[in-house]
Amino acid sequence: MMVRLTIDGRQIMVDGHVNVLDAASKLGIHIPTFCHQARLSDLGACRMCLVEVEGMGKLQTACTLAVNDGMVVRTDTPRVEKARRMMLEFLLINHPLECTVCDASGECTLQDLAFKHGSAETRFKGKKRILRDHIISPLIDRNLNRCIQCKRCVRVCEEIQGVTALGMSYRGAATVVGPFMDKSLDCEYCSHCIWSCPVGAITSRAMKHKVRTWEMEKSEAICPYCSCGCTLSYNYRDNVVYRVTHAEGRGLNMGSLCSKGFFGYDVINHPDRITAPMVRDADGVLRRTTWQSALEEVARNMKRISRESGGKAVGGIASDRLTNEDLYLFQKLMRMVFSSNNVDTPSGLWSRTVVPVLEKRMGVRAATNSLDDLNYTDALLIVGCDITVANPISGLKVKQAIRRGGLVTEVNPGKTALSRLARRSLAVPVGKELALVKGLIKVILEEGLYDSETLGKYGKFSELEFSVRDKSLKEIARETDCSVDEITQTAREFAGAKKASIIFGETAVLQAGGEKVLEAVIDLLVLTGKLGQEGCGLYPILSGTNFQGALDMGVSPNWLPGHAAVSSDSERKRVEKAWNGKVPKDGGKSAYEMIQAAAAGKLKALYLAGVNPLATFPGGEDLEKALKKMEFLVVQELFLTDTAKLADVVLPATSLAEKNGTLTNVERRVQKTSKAIDGLGHSLPDWKIFSDLGVACGEEGMNYLNSSEVMDEIASVVPFYSGINHQILADNGLQWPFSRDDAREVYHEGYLGTRHLLPEGLSKDKQFFAAVPVWETHSADSKYPMTLVLGDLLFHSGSFTRYSESLNQLAAQATLLMNPQTGMGLDVQDGSSVRAVSTQGEFTVTVSYSEDIAPGMLFLPRHFKNAPVSALMIPGPDDQARTAIVHVRVVKA
Amino acid sequence: MMKSTEVFSAKEFSDMENIRARYQEPASAILPLLHYVQGAQGHLSEQALTFVAEFIGVPHVRTFEVATYYTMLFTEPVGRHLVQVCRNLSCHVNGAEEVLQGLKRELGIDVGATTPDRVFTLVEVECIGACDHAPAMMIDGDLHRSVTVDSVSRILNSYREKP
Ligand code: SF4
Ligand code: SF4
Ligand code: SF4
Ligand code: FES
Ligand code: FES
């Protein structure tokens, strides 16, 4: 219902559900506030927003007052002005006037409002309240005396982050904001409380007393740390990024960030950045040199080896952290200039496992729906994915759904940050996820909860029924460590929900036989008709920032840009025509195969862009041996990593803050990221290095003026990127497929592109069930009986963030997590040292007991030097690779 | 999740279960539960607060908020007898200040502190509803009205031997 009201003599029609504050802001009338914040519940605590309402004796708080038809409001009377001055005077009784040393100075609401409405004099003569305070965290600073008790930090921590680490304790003038028992903060370090605090009571210690807020310029960019693709704002001065701030209301994250996005910026101006090219001299020492000589060295050797030993003897692996422009030029360089299809990225294994199944079953090669849908989901099934770690802001959307009453069921080998909030959290042993999903299918079939339209199309479900016949629900429950009731309820909720989706991740799919889990998941979606509409779909979630872009750009041994098969003559021709150059005919090698070939002496030159195999690839010592054997190794990097130390040439690249380009997130959203500062020293953006190198090889087709030109070429080669250019992305992301003259192009809440794939449902040839006959993906081997889950931590993203001193303060060491029950069974104590042994190798690590991990399962974070998981992981070939789940034996060290 | 036996006796735990069962929403039992534990254990330890929070499914910080808000709940161990002196208006004008000074002198401690023998803890409170006989104070559950500096010592002595 719309209502009409008058504010300061001006009339406005607004929705009857809004409050006076919002109505006023629609008229451009600014009412000062402290405790109000968009997205938070209304509290009405600070009384800064008082207004006069005709017919109401007392002044009213605009932030909590619902509009009424015919209401007459005044915000500009002497009485209102006097009230504002009084409220400020009250606050300033206790607020210390230390703007001179306060990091919030310049962006403090109290400072601004006191300047505007306050009085320079106080009538209060007593002593200011002084509260005992202490440091509550290495990264988050609290200053109790500056606190104005607006409770924004407390509310944001509970309502948005779902953590509730902060509370208001004690009472009256002694009220303080702080953690449980006023101890140190033990939380997700999402930074929301820093963002929310209107004064300088909660600030970032990472930038404490380093720079004044008004000295910095701001520029928006995309976060480099995961595939969610959040918009953030770099704040910089003199070519130094001093902090990241939240871009209020912007991006798919609406400004929200996670610990990595907010605190991880200190890698940018890290003192260890390499800032000049280096070439190994005759004495075997890496020496700084000019770009020209470094590029000539690379061009000469790569061309020579490619000429002498053939394109198959050279290869390249690029990080999925690079931009689309970087990645596109990388594979173009490798294919066209060095005649090799040996191109891959570390996320290639995921793409080769997941994408073929998506393609076969649904004809798609990415998530079908938008992350935004997650906010409104009624039922969500999460299989083998800790969404709060893999994609923290997507996790936030799931938390919002839960607050709205959405029913979330997790199927993970342990508890996650979501477990406390979710409807249920099923700790299913790795390998048994399949049984659980089939159990859900069984309930749906038996209770007739399937989608009638699907039934109409398929006639009957006999194959599917047959595949779930040989086990009773009781047996399924026993095998999955769940109860029959939990399985039944989950199935009913999922089938009965209007909007229901499934998220799955690495733990489910990157295990032996993991594609079967995916097949069963798709069967479940099809059976319940939860596809092809808003709120119903499938989200494959890998955390690598631009893993989708890397696939789209053809950084793959078998796929050209646009997911075109290398083996297809017509596709190759099409790309060759666009490039005016040659694309080799034979498929190339995956990263694993390249390392194998290197070990066998068949691959002689390797180009690594932004990857540090020694820290992240499986293979342990064998890997190191293979790399050392290379005749020519180029490493393009930000830091002199262990791998870079082995290189013949090291090329200094820039971070994402120092370049323009685009990234494609986990929901197919192509977003522009913009340069904040100039490249440090002589470092150059990756695309520029590839371009210069192509030119140094005498290839004019590799000459580009800027990354925008590269995008124009991408748009002409990748069909579903057609029409995309940097201008169109200036303000908004865009979800592919997109084409300017495509009728499906929709403009929705500021976003362009296709929000939901499969609007017409599955095509005729896809209308079948996989009806997976088996019940488990794999079973334990008696020699290696424990299942080790290798995963990420909330506070780190690959090995890259290990350069962030801030994030290292939150997590610097890896420990092997195990349930106390498992520990007792193995006779290993909490804190003791054990050897973890897989078929591949072993290492020693400290044990931490944790109730969060299911009995019989182990968890170890990757990317920590003290636990080089590379030694345990089994590198490949693809179908045998074990990079997320490894079977091990644990023995006392 | 914490085990009840780490903090509570079997009897305490079963009492707590009964209290919780009185409410449709377990979270609603927060105050009665904390009040019960205060009575049973003399204060609300970190473990007790953690347990109660998990027992009724609220974030840990919630029990801490409630425990620190109410003057009759304590997060630190208190003496065997709790002396609560009213400082509000009626008592104030009728000599609460002198009474308080007398108590401090007699006990040898400051407001908020506990005597070394752990017999008394002295705290200030706001109006306890005995304005007609100000100045007033409460010791444990007993109300003492029209207290004078001279009566302080006698009143305290009557508690020294009490359990
Ligand atoms: S950083 Fe996030 S989780 Fe931690 S206290 Fe602040 S809002 Fe809560
Ligand atoms: S710390 Fe800041 S946000 Fe939190 S209550 Fe105090 S002033 Fe408000
Ligand atoms: S969720 Fe991902 S993209 Fe967003 S701030 Fe965190 S790491 Fe960056
Ligand atoms: S903003 Fe309205 S009461 Fe605080
Ligand atoms: S003022 Fe002391 S009892 Fe009321």
Side-chain angles (χ1 to χ4, degrees):
Chain A
M1 193 197 52
M2 299 295 279
V3 301
R4 183 188 299 276
L5 73 161
T6 312
I7 306 178
D8 293 346
R10 292 158 64 194
Q11 292 215 335
I12 185 172
M13 288 281 286
V14 291
D15 185 320
H17 299 294
V18 307
N19 56 43
V20 172
L21 186 68
D22 297 328
S25 96
K26 285 211 171 71
L27 280 171
I29 296 170
H30 179 75
I31 299 173
T33 58
F34 283 116
C35 68
H36 172 84
Q37 192 177 25
R39 294 207 283 164
L40 296 186
S41 61
D42 286 318
L43 186 67
C46 73
R47 318 206 71 75
M48 192 60 211
C49 64
L50 292 173
V51 293
E52 226 176 296
V53 182
E54 226 167 67
M56 294 177 143
K58 282 193 197 154
L59 296 179
Q60 303 290 318
T61 47
C63 70
T64 56
L65 183 65
V67 291
N68 243 326
D69 204 35
M71 199 178 231
V72 179
V73 180
R74 294 227 66 109
T75 76
D76 55 358
T77 62
R79 197 169 151 219
V80 168
E81 188 54 35
K82 188 175 164 211
R84 288 175 183 172
R85 195 191 317 247
M86 264 170 58
M87 290 326 298
L88 286 163
E89 195 175 346
F90 278 136
L91 288 175
L92 292 176
I93 289 174
N94 279 322
H95 192 87
L97 295 176
E98 54 192 18
C99 307
T100 45
V101 292
C102 178
D103 279 318
S105 188
E107 48 193 37
C108 167
T109 313
L110 182 57
Q111 195 183 45
D112 293 346
L113 292 181
F115 184 78
K116 196 162 168 213
H117 304 282
S119 142
E121 276 159 35
T122 171
R123 290 172 286 175
F124 182 79
K125 300 287 180 246
K127 276 204 187 111
K128 283 189 190 278
R129 164 202 67 182
I130 296 180
L131 296 168
R132 225 170 28 147
D133 208 351
H134 59 94
I135 291 171
I136 54 164
S137 132
L139 292 184
I140 296 181
D141 213 21
R142 177 186 67 174
N143 185 317
L144 288 177
N145 292 310
R146 293 181 192 156
C147 175
I148 58 166
Q149 279 88 28
C150 69
K151 227 179 156 183
R152 269 162 58 158
C153 55
V154 171
R155 282 179 291 153
V156 81
C157 188
E158 175 170 6
E159 295 171 16
I160 303 290
Q161 195 62 23
V163 170
T164 323
L166 294 174
M168 296 288 252
S169 5
Y170 305 97
R171 58 149 74 185
T175 304
V176 299
V177 152
F180 180 60
M181 295 305 283
D182 213 17
K183 300 212 283 200
S184 345
L185 257 183
D186 174 15
C187 71
E188 297 181 2
Y189 285 91
C190 66
S191 74
H192 273 108
C193 51
I194 297 176
W195 181 19
S196 277
C197 185
V199 296
I202 297 196
T203 50
S204 160
R205 284 179 70 81
M207 75 149 247
K208 189 169 175 144
H209 295 172
K210 286 204 172 127
V211 64
R212 308 257 49 181
T213 53
W214 57 85
E215 292 172 347
M216 292 178 284
E217 285 183 72
K218 291 189 179 189
S219 120
E220 261 181 35
I222 301 299
C223 171
Y225 293 129
C226 90
S227 58
C228 201
C230 296
T231 299
L232 52 71
S233 171
Y234 286 121
N235 292 212
Y236 57 95
R237 190 196 72 186
D238 303 332
N239 218 46
V240 175
V241 173
Y242 278 99
R243 65 168 176 176
V244 157
T245 47
H246 307 84
E248 176 94 49
R250 299 278 295 150
L252 59 100
N253 51 319
M254 302 294 286
S256 283
L257 295 172
C258 77
S259 56
K260 289 172 282 206
F262 186 80
F263 289 111
Y265 62 86
D266 56 340
V267 297
I268 300 168
N269 293 92
H270 196 288
D272 294 346
R273 278 279 301 272
I274 33 182
T275 52
M278 289 183 275
V279 173
R280 202 169 289 282
D281 67 8
D283 303 328
V285 182
L286 275 176
R287 288 203 195 285
R288 291 167 69 108
T289 180
T290 60
W291 270 110
Q292 198 190 349
S293 76
L295 289 178
E296 274 169 10
E297 179 78 7
V298 178
R300 194 164 32 119
N301 283 291
M302 294 288 287
K303 288 206 73 150
R304 176 181 56 78
I305 295 171
S306 164
R307 196 175 51 239
E308 288 171 0
S309 314
K312 288 186 175 152
V314 303
I317 308 171
S319 165
D320 53 14
R321 227 181 259 296
L322 302 185
T323 64
N324 289 327
E325 291 77 359
D326 298 334
L327 292 163
Y328 175 81
L329 286 195
F330 175 73
Q331 58 84 38
K332 184 175 180 186
L333 176 78
M334 295 306 300
R335 292 194 156 109
M336 186 171 88
V337 184
F338 302 133
S339 316
S340 179
N341 276 321
N342 297 338
V343 286
D344 201 3
T345 122
S347 52
L349 177 61
W350 163 272
S351 298
R352 287 188 294 276
T353 311
V354 172
V355 176
V357 181
L358 298 181
E359 167 71 46
K360 180 182 82 180
R361 299 293 309 277
M362 307 194 288
V364 303
R365 298 187 192 88
T368 59
N369 287 44
S370 300
L371 291 178
D372 240 17
D373 284 12
L374 292 175
N375 279 311
Y376 307 98
T377 185
D378 299 318
L380 182 70
L381 187 64
I382 304 180
V383 185
C385 176
D386 182 348
I387 184 76
T388 63
V389 169
N391 243 214
I393 297 299
S394 304
L396 222 54
K397 293 176 190 286
V398 176
K399 290 176 183 174
Q400 281 312 304
I402 294 174
R403 277 187 81 78
R404 289 198 164 86
L407 307 174
V408 175
T409 300
E410 281 186 299
V411 179
N412 276 325
K415 296 245 183 298
T416 70
L418 214 54
S419 305
R420 195 173 58 79
L421 308 168
R423 172 71 153 213
R424 67 181 69 77
S425 191
L426 307 177
V428 173
V430 173
K432 307 287 186 192
E433 300 92 338
L434 180 56
L436 188 102
V437 177
K438 285 181 66 175
L440 300 177
I441 293 176
K442 188 177 174 83
V443 174
I444 288 165
L445 285 171
E446 283 176 359
E447 300 192 359
L449 304 172
Y450 39 75
D451 177 48
S452 52
E453 229 176 276
T454 310
L455 181 66
K457 272 190 209 145
Y458 289 58
K460 52 187 183 331
F461 303 126
S462 35
E463 257 177 276
L464 201 57
E465 272 160 356
F466 186 76
S467 73
V468 296
R469 187 165 298 169
D470 56 325
K471 268 192 210 292
S472 69
L473 270 182
K474 252 204 185 131
E475 283 171 276
I476 298 173
R478 200 179 48 239
E479 283 176 19
T480 55
D481 283 350
C482 303
S483 68
V484 171
D485 191 52
E486 283 172 325
I487 300 175
T488 318
Q489 292 303 337
T490 307
R492 288 181 190 154
E493 283 165 14
F494 189 84
K498 194 152 166 278
K499 295 180 175 174
S501 296
I502 302 184
I503 288 177
F504 71 88
E506 267 190 284
T507 316
V509 181
L510 296 188
Q511 54 169 292
E515 63 293 337
K516 294 196 200 87
V517 181
L518 178 50
E519 293 271 18
V521 156
I522 297 174
D523 279 357
L524 176 60
L525 282 175
V526 174
L527 180 65
T528 50
K530 309 294 187 201
L531 267 178
Q533 338 153 19
E534 186 173 334
C536 294
L538 184 61
Y539 298 87
I541 294 201
L542 185 70
S543 64
T545 311
N546 199 22
F547 81 93
Q548 186 66 48
L551 174 66
D552 300 348
M553 295 304 115
V555 182
S556 156
N558 307 311
W559 289 315
L560 295 169
H563 312 162
V566 170
S567 56
S568 150
D569 290 339
S570 60
E571 290 292 353
R572 249 186 4 261
K573 288 262 147 52
R574 196 175 58 80
V575 173
E576 285 180 338
K577 194 161 160 245
W579 289 355
N580 192 19
K582 282 257 160 262
V583 174
K585 202 162 153 205
D586 299 333
K589 296 185 180 67
S590 67
Y592 160 72
E593 289 162 338
M594 284 187 238
I595 303 290
Q596 292 287 95
K602 287 193 185 128
L603 189 93
K604 300 193 162 113
L606 186 61
Y607 196 131
L608 299 175
V611 287
N612 178 10
L614 290 182
T616 54
F617 282 26
E621 282 169 16
D622 296 349
L623 173 66
E624 191 169 345
K625 269 188 223 144
L627 288 176
K628 281 187 174 149
K629 226 172 150 176
M630 299 303 318
E631 187 178 327
F632 190 65
L633 179 65
V634 186
V635 174
Q636 183 164 312
E637 258 298 354
L638 268 67
F639 296 98
L640 199 62
T641 59
D642 289 344
T643 309
K645 285 180 190 146
L646 303 176
D648 296 288
V649 178
V650 177
L651 304 174
T654 60
S655 72
L656 212 52
E658 302 150 71
K659 66 182 168 193
N660 291 313
T662 62
L663 295 162
T664 305
N665 82 348
V666 69
E667 47 160 4
R668 304 169 272 109
R669 187 184 303 283
V670 187
Q671 305 191 95
K672 167 105 198 299
T673 179
S674 305
K675 172 176 144 158
I677 60 169
D678 292 330
L680 296 199
H682 297 286
S683 64
L684 290 175
D686 295 82
W687 69 265
K688 175 73 175 148
I689 303 176
F690 300 138
S691 165
D692 288 354
L693 180 58
V695 173
C697 290
E699 185 52 71
E700 267 313 305
M702 286 294 290
N703 195 359
Y704 299 85
L705 214 53
N706 49 42
S707 61
S708 158
E709 262 187 27
V710 182
M711 181 39 92
D712 293 343
E713 183 173 318
I714 294 172
S716 72
V717 175
V718 177
F720 44 90
Y721 278 58
S722 105
I724 299 183
N725 57 50
H726 281 192
Q727 288 71 42
I728 209 170
L729 295 176
D731 271 327
N732 290 303
L734 179 161
Q735 281 170 286
W736 66 251
F738 175 75
S739 107
R740 277 229 139 144
D741 33 53
D742 187 335
R744 271 184 307 170
E745 172 192 327
V746 284
Y747 191 86
H748 185 95
E749 287 169 8
Y751 290 124
L752 286 164
T754 311
R755 290 169 62 83
H756 308 109
L757 298 179
L758 305 170
E760 260 89 69
L762 296 180
S763 62
K764 261 253 155 334
D765 60 322
K766 311 278 182 217
Q767 294 179 5
F768 60 90
F769 290 106
V772 184
V774 295
W775 288 91
E776 58 181 7
T777 38
H778 56 95
S779 51
D781 168 340
S782 59
K783 279 172 82 184
Y784 302 97
M786 312 287 301
T787 304
L788 172 61
V789 180
L790 298 173
D792 292 322
L793 289 181
L794 174 58
F795 303 131
H796 281 289
S797 148
S799 60
F800 185 48
T801 52
R802 298 299 326 254
Y803 286 95
S804 164
E805 303 303 330
S806 295
L807 295 174
N808 284 343
Q809 303 225 34
L810 300 179
Q813 293 272 320
T815 55
L816 181 68
L817 298 188
M818 66 169 70
N819 192 287
Q821 208 179 310
T822 316
M824 283 180 244
L826 291 168
D827 191 25
V828 296
Q829 305 302 315
D830 190 16
S832 68
S833 233
V834 294
R835 275 191 314 137
V837 189
S838 79
T839 54
Q840 178 74 24
E842 62 167 86
F843 65 78
T844 305
V845 66
T846 308
V847 166
S848 277
Y849 276 6
S850 164
E851 297 275 0
D852 287 347
I853 182 105
M857 302 283 123
L858 304 167
F859 178 87
L860 190 68
R862 293 187 270 234
H863 315 312
F864 285 90
K865 277 212 163 131
N866 74 312
V869 294
S870 169
L872 294 184
M873 291 193 275
I874 298 156
D878 282 0
D879 58 342
Q880 280 157 39
R882 304 283 176 266
T883 55
I885 305 291
V886 187
H887 289 290
V888 294
R889 181 170 72 230
V890 171
V891 279
K892 284 204 217 178
Chain B
M1 171 121 194
M2 243 174 125
K3 290 196 189 66
S4 69
T5 47
E6 289 173 46
V7 212
F8 300 108
S9 69
K11 154 111 182 38
E12 285 168 345
F13 183 62
S14 94
D15 287 348
M16 287 167 68
E17 280 187 314
N18 290 335
I19 295 173
R20 183 175 65 174
R22 290 210 302 264
Y23 297 84
Q24 203 171 9
E25 264 306 315
S28 308
I30 190 163
L31 204 48
L33 281 172
L34 294 180
H35 193 72
Y36 170 81
V37 177
Q38 173 70 41
Q41 306 199 330
H43 81 292
L44 300 165
S45 65
E46 180 180 338
Q47 285 95 324
L49 289 175
T50 308
F51 182 84
V52 172
E54 291 174 1
F55 187 58
I56 56 174
V58 299
H60 293 174
V61 75
R62 199 66 83 230
T63 48
F64 181 61
E65 287 178 320
V66 173
T68 53
Y69 182 84
Y70 289 101
T71 46
M72 64 278 205
L73 299 177
F74 298 86
T75 53
E76 298 286 334
V78 286
R80 211 162 66 228
H81 302 295
L82 180 64
V83 185
Q84 297 177 295
V85 189
C86 174
R87 296 288 311 274
N88 215 313
L89 194 63
S90 311
C91 294
H92 183 76
V93 296
N94 283 295
E97 191 53 37
E98 289 83 68
V99 171
L100 188 65
Q101 292 310 329
L103 283 163
K104 286 208 236 173
R105 231 183 357 256
E106 190 69 24
L107 295 171
I109 55 172
D110 247 339
V111 173
T114 301
T115 53
D117 58 6
R118 310 210 66 81
V119 176
F120 292 105
T121 296
L122 177 63
V123 295
E124 296 174 353
V125 290
E126 300 305 331
C127 183
I128 51 178
C131 312
D132 50 342
H133 292 285
M137 70 175 179
M138 296 253 298
I139 300 186
D140 304 337
D142 317 328
L143 178 63
H144 296 272
R145 305 186 291 185
S146 308
V147 186
T148 62
V149 198
D150 306 329
S151 64
V152 158
S153 159
R154 181 181 46 79
I155 299 175
L156 287 177
N157 283 336
S158 70
Y159 282 89
R160 283 197 201 276
E161 302 310 321
K162 270 201 200 162

